[in-house]
């Protein structure tokens, strides 16, 4: 048979996953000659040999590829023979447009874990053990191609033993870029909060000793610092909360291994699989009835956020240490996670007693991902470490766009052709530090992929820092995308769709096209445009944004509107207070506070109108006395959802929401439901049953609305997006009910339904409109 030489380009996630060693071993086994190398486009191969063998080689590139790789395409062409005598691995070279995909950081593999605890191994208890199947990737990468000189490991020269492994095709560390050992690699040391270095020769064991003694230790990890303490020590956890300024928001808990799960939570096989996957996210699971964790870990919450060790250092901490550790982001609340040693001492010195440092630089911060299993699928709540910057495939190819997301749970998105590169979680853009992290992330993504976007997509809210940043950019087209349209576009994009859908965009707040605060919206939408065809009835928020932290203010606004609609008159404050005086929030806050809120809504001072479902959840939570204060965003709504889990769900009882056609679309009326809630409270109906009836009624009215709109539009596809769909009852109930009514239902499983997914929708909408000449439509 004829001898041929082929040039082969393998595209996708093929760098940093052991792909070149795989190609080398396969080519050598087939007696092919040539070379393999990384490039900016992917993995480049020149292979020469028998034509039949080459055909089999091409087929096996796909069928036998490393488990962590993700091939998006293989291009091949015949080229002239080069008369090579062997097959070799060559160094990568930058050669134009960066088309390769960057792998995320991967948890320690079983082989490295065995070596870590093998006292005969030269890497015994070495905190940076890794191979081509695991270890740091995105967080140490400065630019592509993914070769050691382009990572923060360039500061460490491999010793002869590590170099032999790196050069040996039969070794698991063949061309493993972060390869190192105790002789030549990064080091760990312990300091106290004054910066005094511990003289001990085993800093990890010293850190474990302090953790067992109730101390707080700041630990430098893969994508930033964690603040750790014994999760069973209530005093330590409370002290961590106090100094971190994290009043009630649940803290993540790392446990030794998955076999211990039942001690802490009630888990399903799918949840265990997600928890144990190489991505190693935090997984939200119901608390076990009896567990050893401190009550202060997750107060007023039915769930724990559990994660497993994902670095060698984590595994060493659990070798002889506590079986469970609080492992929360190393930052002061509302600031980005800390990544540098000197910054950690400065920023975290008021929280941590000790610091477990290392000298491998983190090039880009990357917080832990959070997942909740709902409707039989893992749903990202926060998409970050283990996921970013893995792209979301787009249905259409178009110009490169930068999308800058919203204010809360900010992420950014950069597109190239049919790929959308979603950043890691950045945080809430409410201060200079987070804005700096936002800008740093944009620079990193643009530089790494060598993408020069032609447009920047943004949320029209005039006060968002991301919006101000976008509009300040020179020489680039700015494309506004309305907040709730971006939610539905995000759901469409991740499902590979462009067609018109009935979109349910349900969240806490978003800037509406009419200048009011939206949040309970029904849209007819495709990627390029939307029409608002339904909404929740509007009500006033006393104190505006204060109502987010004080949900009883939403209740005052709702009840004020109910009074006006019921009695067709303006209530006087004393009659109003007499009407509601037995409600739990009035009993707690007193007449004076409620009177002040009443004055705001009645005079329309320091008040905004909203159609937000999130604020409606808040109001019902406050009415029932479930949650009167929210220490973090969404707390009142979450607690209203969680109390249902203490009540049998077989009941068919529900509150009936009205559905009224209005000039601006269908309006979901809430007045009758509020009166029913008040009546049930007066009859001492359990909170859990009130919550269940409320949730059931909400699902029922949204299904009724979808059916009405299908009759009008003939659209048979529904899309569910927005932060309210982190509520499992709402997501599962509405998806099931719509499916039973004959709808195709699109939901999120690649990016968060909350504002962490906004940037994807902004980008997809902007591309759609740019290619069709309608980019100026909000």
């Amino acid at each position: 048979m004829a001898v041929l030489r082929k040039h082969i380009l393998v595209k996708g996630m093929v760098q940093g996953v052991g792909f070149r060693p795989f190609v080398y071993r396969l080519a050598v086994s087939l007696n092919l000659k040539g070379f393999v190398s990384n490039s900016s486009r992917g993995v480049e191969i020149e292979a020469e040999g028998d034509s039949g063998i080459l055909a089999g080689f091409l087929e096996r590139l796909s069928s036998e590829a490393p488990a962590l790789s993700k091939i998006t395409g293989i291009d091949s062409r015949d080229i002239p023979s080069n008369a090579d005598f062997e097959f070799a691995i060559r160094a990568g070279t930058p050669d134009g447009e960066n088309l390769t995909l960057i792998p995320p950081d991967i948890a320690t593999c079983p082989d490295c874990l065995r070596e870590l605890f093998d006292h005969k191994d030269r890497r015994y208890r070495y905190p940076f053990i890794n191979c081509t199947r695991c270890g740091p990737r995105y967080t140490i990468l400065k630019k592509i191609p993914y070769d050691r000189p382009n990572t923060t490991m360039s500061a460490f020269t491999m010793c002869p033993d590590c170099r032999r492994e790196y050069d040996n095709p039969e070794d698991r560390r063949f061309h493993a870029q972060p390869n190192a050992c105790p002789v030549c690699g990064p080091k760990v040391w312990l300091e106290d909060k004054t910066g005094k270095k511990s003289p001990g020769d085993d800093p990890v064991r010293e850190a474990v000793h302090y953790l067992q003694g109730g101390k707080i230790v700041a630990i430098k990890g893969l994508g930033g610092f964690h603040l750790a303490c014994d999760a069973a020590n209530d005093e330590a956890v409370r002290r961590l909360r106090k100094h971190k300024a994290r009043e009630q928001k649940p803290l993540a808990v790392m446990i030794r291994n998955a076999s211990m799960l039942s001690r802490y939570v009630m888990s399903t096989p799918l949840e265990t699989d997600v928890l144990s996957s190489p991505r190693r996210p935090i997984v939200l699971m119901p608390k076990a009835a009896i567990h050893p964790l401190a009550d202060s870990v997750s107060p007023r919450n039915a769930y724990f956020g559990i994660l497993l060790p994902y670095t060698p250092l984590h595994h060493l901490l659990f070798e002889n240490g506590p079986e469970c550790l609080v492992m929360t982001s190393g930052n002061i609340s509302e600031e980005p996670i800390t990544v540098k040693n000197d910054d950690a001492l400065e920023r975290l010195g008021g929280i941590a007693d000790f610091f477990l440092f290392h000298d491998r630089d983190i090039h880009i911060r990357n917080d832990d991902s959070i997942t909740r299993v709902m409707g039989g699928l893992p749903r990202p709540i926060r998409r970050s470490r283990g996921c970013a910057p893995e792209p979301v495939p787009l249905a259409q190819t178009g110009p490169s766009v930068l999308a800058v997301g919203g204010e809360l749970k900010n992420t950014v998105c950069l597109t190239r052709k049919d790929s959308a590169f979603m950043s890691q979680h950045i945080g809430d853009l409410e201060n200079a530090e987070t804005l700096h992290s936002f800008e740093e992330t944009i620079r990193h993504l643009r530089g790494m992929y060598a993408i020069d976007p032609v447009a920047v997509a943004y949320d029209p809210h005039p006060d968002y820092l991301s919006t101000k940043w976008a509009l300040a950019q020179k020489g680039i087209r700015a494309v506004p995308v309305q907040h709730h349209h971006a939610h539905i576009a995000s759901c469409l994009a991740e499902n590979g769709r462009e067609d018109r859908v009935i979109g349910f965009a349900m969240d806490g707040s978003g800037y509406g096209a009419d200048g009011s605060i939206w949040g309970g919206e029904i849209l007819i939408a495709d990627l390029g445009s939307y029409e608002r065809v339904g909404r929740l009835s509007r009500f006033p928020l006393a104190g505006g944004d204060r109502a987010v932290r004080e949900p009883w203010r939403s209740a005052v606004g709702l009840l004020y509107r109910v009074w006006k609609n019921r009695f067709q008159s303006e209530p006087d404050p004393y009659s109003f207070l007499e009407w509601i005086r037995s409600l739990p929030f009035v009993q707690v806050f007193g007449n004076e506070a409620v009177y002040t809120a009443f004055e705001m809504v009645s005079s329309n001072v320091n008040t905004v109108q909203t159609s937000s479902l999130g604020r409606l959840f808040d109001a019902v939570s406050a009415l029932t006395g479930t949650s009167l204060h929210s220490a973090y965003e969404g707390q009142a709504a979450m607690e209203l959802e969680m109390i249902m889990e203490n009540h049998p769900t077989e009941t068919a009882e529900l509150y009936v929401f009205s559905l009224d056609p209005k000039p601006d679309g269908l309006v979901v009326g809430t007045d009758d439901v509020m009166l029913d809630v008040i009546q049930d409270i007066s009859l001492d109906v359990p909170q859990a049953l009130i919550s269940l009836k409320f949730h059931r009624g909400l699902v029922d009215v949204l299904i009724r609305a979808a059916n009405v709109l299908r009759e009008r539009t003939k659209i048979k596809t529904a899309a569910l997006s927005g932060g309210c769909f982190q509520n499992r009852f709402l997501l599962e109930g509405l998806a099931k009910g719509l499916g039973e009514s004959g709808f195709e239902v699109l939901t999120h499983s690649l990016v968060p339904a909350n504002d962490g997914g906004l940037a994807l929708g902004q980008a997809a909408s902007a591309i759609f409109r740019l290619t069709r000449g309608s980019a100026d439509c909000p």
Side-chain angles (χ1 to χ4, degrees):
M1 298 182 70
V3 173
L4 296 177
R5 187 177 182 91
K6 285 186 176 290
H7 176 274
I8 303 165
L9 172 64
V10 186
K11 297 176 287 188
M13 192 177 297
V14 289
Q15 294 188 22
V17 293
F19 203 88
R20 284 185 302 168
F22 154 69
V23 172
Y24 175 90
R25 287 189 286 267
L26 179 59
V28 169
S29 72
L30 297 174
N31 199 31
L32 297 175
K33 314 302 179 185
F35 66 87
V36 58
S37 69
N38 283 340
S39 77
S40 301
R41 301 189 297 163
V43 168
E44 308 263 0
I45 305 168
E46 287 193 16
E48 186 169 338
D50 182 277
S51 59
I53 293 176
L54 274 176
F57 173 72
L58 276 168
E59 182 179 326
R60 292 173 68 181
L61 284 178
S62 292
S63 62
E64 299 177 13
L68 297 179
S69 64
K70 183 175 290 187
I71 296 173
T72 59
I74 299 179
D75 298 335
S76 69
R77 56 184 171 84
D78 293 341
I79 58 174
S81 172
N82 201 31
D84 291 317
F85 295 103
E86 61 180 0
F87 197 91
I89 291 182
R90 294 186 181 176
T93 55
D95 53 358
E97 188 179 19
N98 290 345
L99 298 179
T100 193
L101 303 183
I102 309 303
D105 303 297
I106 300 299
T108 309
C109 72
D111 288 330
C112 283
L113 196 55
R114 279 192 292 271
E115 292 174 347
L116 182 67
F117 292 109
D118 180 358
H119 69 277
K120 296 179 182 179
D121 194 278
R122 73 187 190 91
R123 291 188 177 86
Y124 173 58
R125 302 191 76 252
Y126 181 57
F128 303 96
I129 191 170
N130 69 86
C131 68
T132 54
R133 302 169 193 163
C134 67
R137 299 293 192 268
Y138 177 56
T139 50
I140 64 170
L141 185 60
K142 298 177 181 178
K143 60 181 180 179
I144 53 177
Y146 178 66
D147 287 321
R148 193 177 181 105
N150 295 334
T151 73
T152 60
M153 284 299 295
S154 62
F156 303 94
T157 301
M158 281 185 280
C159 66
D161 287 337
C162 286
R163 172 55 70 176
R164 276 192 292 273
E165 293 169 334
Y166 185 87
D167 291 336
N168 180 4
E170 303 304 318
D171 197 283
R172 200 174 79 253
R173 295 184 172 89
F174 184 44
H175 281 253
Q177 303 309 328
N179 190 32
C181 74
V183 174
C184 63
K187 303 290 192 294
V188 173
W189 69 95
L190 188 72
E191 294 182 14
D192 66 18
K193 60 185 176 183
T194 69
K196 181 181 177 181
K197 189 173 182 179
S198 170
D201 60 359
D202 196 330
V204 177
R205 284 196 169 118
E206 284 187 77
V208 168
H209 169 74
Y210 289 124
L211 288 166
Q212 289 175 317
K215 301 298 184 182
I216 298 168
V217 181
I219 301 169
K220 188 176 183 181
L222 199 60
F225 278 80
H226 281 115
L227 289 165
C229 69
D230 184 349
N233 186 325
D234 192 63
E235 187 278 330
V237 177
R238 289 182 183 277
R239 188 159 57 90
L240 173 56
R241 280 196 177 279
K242 178 181 177 181
H243 294 301
K244 184 177 161 70
R246 188 164 178 170
E247 182 183 347
Q248 292 178 5
K249 192 173 184 180
L251 300 168
V253 174
M254 183 177 284
I255 64 173
R256 186 173 294 153
N257 54 55
S259 65
M260 305 176 67
L261 262 181
S262 61
R263 285 178 55 98
Y264 307 99
V265 293
M266 296 177 286
S267 61
T268 65
L270 177 56
E271 287 168 336
T272 303
D273 288 345
V274 174
L275 185 77
S276 305
S277 72
R279 298 182 189 273
R280 286 291 201 277
I282 297 168
V283 180
L284 305 182
M285 292 173 281
K287 293 176 179 177
I290 301 174
H291 59 77
L293 298 183
D295 291 339
S296 50
V297 165
S298 184
R300 294 172 53 184
N301 198 295
Y303 285 69
F304 285 131
I306 302 291
L307 77 162
L308 295 178
Y310 57 84
T311 71
L313 182 58
H314 293 152
H315 288 283
L316 292 173
L317 289 170
F318 284 101
E319 182 185 18
N320 295 302
E323 66 177 33
C324 54
L325 291 172
V326 164
M327 199 68 78
T328 188
S329 302
N331 60 354
I332 302 291
S333 290
E334 314 307 332
E335 290 185 0
I337 187 171
T338 305
V339 296
K340 295 182 179 180
N341 294 349
D342 53 353
D343 284 349
L345 272 175
E346 179 183 347
R347 294 178 180 275
L348 306 180
I351 307 174
D353 301 301
F354 294 92
F355 291 78
L356 193 58
F357 288 129
H358 64 71
D359 55 356
R360 185 181 68 200
D361 286 344
I362 299 168
H363 187 67
I364 194 74
R365 57 175 49 88
N366 204 354
D367 222 328
D368 294 322
S369 295
I370 303 175
T371 298
R372 186 181 185 189
V373 174
M374 297 183 286
L377 289 173
R379 313 277 183 174
I381 305 298
R382 183 167 77 195
R383 185 182 187 270
S384 204
R385 178 196 45 79
C387 300
E390 189 174 341
V392 176
L394 298 174
Q396 77 276 23
T397 295
S400 290
V401 166
L402 170 66
V404 296
E407 180 177 62
L408 301 180
K409 301 176 177 65
N410 181 267
T411 61
V412 298
C413 179
L414 190 62
T415 70
R416 182 184 61 207
K417 297 184 178 178
D418 60 353
S419 293
F421 300 97
M422 291 288 290
S423 78
Q424 70 279 16
H425 169 79
I426 296 170
D428 296 348
L429 291 184
E430 296 178 333
N431 53 54
E433 291 82 6
T434 314
L435 180 62
H436 174 75
S437 178
F438 164 85
E439 294 171 330
E440 180 183 63
T441 300
I442 291 172
R443 284 193 300 270
H444 182 61
L445 282 176
R446 289 187 61 173
M448 201 163 51
Y449 290 109
I451 295 176
D452 190 17
V454 301
V456 56
Y458 66 94
D459 190 297
H461 195 301
D463 295 330
Y464 282 2
L465 290 180
S466 56
T467 298
K468 293 177 180 179
W469 185 91
L471 295 177
Q473 304 309 298
K474 306 298 182 185
I476 186 170
R477 189 170 183 178
V479 182
V481 184
Q482 195 277 327
H483 187 95
H484 298 93
H485 180 213
H487 272 306
I488 300 304
S490 176
C491 188
L492 284 169
E494 79 155 76
N495 284 280
R497 303 287 286 267
E498 299 181 347
D499 48 318
R500 294 171 77 221
V501 296
I502 300 171
F504 293 90
M506 306 285 166
D507 63 5
S509 66
Y511 190 71
D514 59 2
S516 69
I517 302 301
W518 292 5
E521 314 309 313
I522 309 175
L523 312 177
I524 300 297
D526 57 20
L527 286 180
S529 63
Y530 75 94
E531 178 187 1
R532 189 192 195 200
V533 294
R535 60 173 172 82
L536 264 65
S537 53
R538 285 186 287 264
F539 61 93
L541 291 180
D545 287 344
R546 284 190 66 181
V548 176
R549 296 286 186 181
E550 302 174 29
W552 63 272
R553 293 176 176 272
S554 293
V556 171
L558 263 170
L559 296 177
Y560 170 80
R561 194 206 59 207
V562 169
W563 178 290
K564 287 187 66 173
N565 291 343
R566 181 183 184 188
F567 299 112
Q568 298 295 308
S569 67
E570 187 77 27
D572 70 86
Y574 303 105
S575 299
F576 183 78
L577 285 169
E578 178 63 23
W579 179 47
I580 65 173
R581 64 183 175 83
S582 63
L583 294 174
F585 76 89
V586 182
Q587 299 293 310
V588 171
F589 292 103
N591 287 348
E592 184 175 347
V594 177
Y595 175 82
T596 301
F598 172 87
E599 288 288 285
M600 288 181 185
V601 296
S602 62
S603 60
N604 197 30
V605 173
N606 195 19
T607 297
V608 295
Q609 294 288 323
T610 187
S611 56
S612 164
L613 178 56
R615 301 292 79 82
L616 179 61
F617 275 122
D618 287 354
V620 176
S621 193
L623 284 173
T624 58
T626 303
S627 184
L628 301 178
H629 173 75
S630 288
Y632 56 91
E633 194 252 340
Q635 181 180 3
M638 288 169 55
E639 293 180 359
L640 185 68
E641 174 198 359
M642 287 183 292
I643 61 171
M644 288 189 297
E645 299 179 11
N646 299 322
H647 192 280
T649 56
E650 289 76 18
T651 177
E653 292 183 86
L654 55 81
Y655 297 130
V656 179
F657 290 80
S658 64
L659 186 62
D660 306 311
K662 300 286 184 180
D664 60 345
L666 294 175
V667 174
V668 175
T670 57
D671 289 359
D672 291 342
V673 170
M674 292 304 101
L675 292 171
D676 289 341
V677 168
I678 291 173
Q679 181 179 11
D680 277 355
I681 292 170
S682 71
L683 296 173
D684 292 325
V685 173
Q687 292 174 321
L689 180 55
I690 293 174
S691 176
L692 181 59
K693 291 166 69 175
F694 173 76
H695 279 82
R696 283 191 178 279
L698 186 60
V699 168
D700 170 74
V701 73
L702 295 180
I703 292 171
R704 285 188 278 131
N707 286 323
V708 170
L709 292 169
R710 179 172 54 186
E711 285 295 313
R712 294 181 184 177
T713 64
K714 309 306 178 187
I715 296 173
K716 299 179 181 179
T717 303
L720 314 182
S721 190
C724 289
F725 288 109
Q726 293 173 164
N727 179 313
R728 183 162 67 183
F729 189 97
L730 181 62
L731 174 68
E732 293 178 347
L734 187 54
K736 180 175 183 289
L738 289 171
E740 291 173 347
S741 296
F743 283 92
E744 179 186 10
V745 184
L746 308 180
T747 61
H748 288 279
S749 60
L750 296 180
V751 301
N754 61 41
D755 285 5
L758 273 181
L760 176 64
Q762 292 170 346
S765 180
I767 291 169
F768 188 93
R769 286 150 56 188
L770 285 166
T771 55
R772 289 160 176 79
S774 57
D776 296 325
C777 300

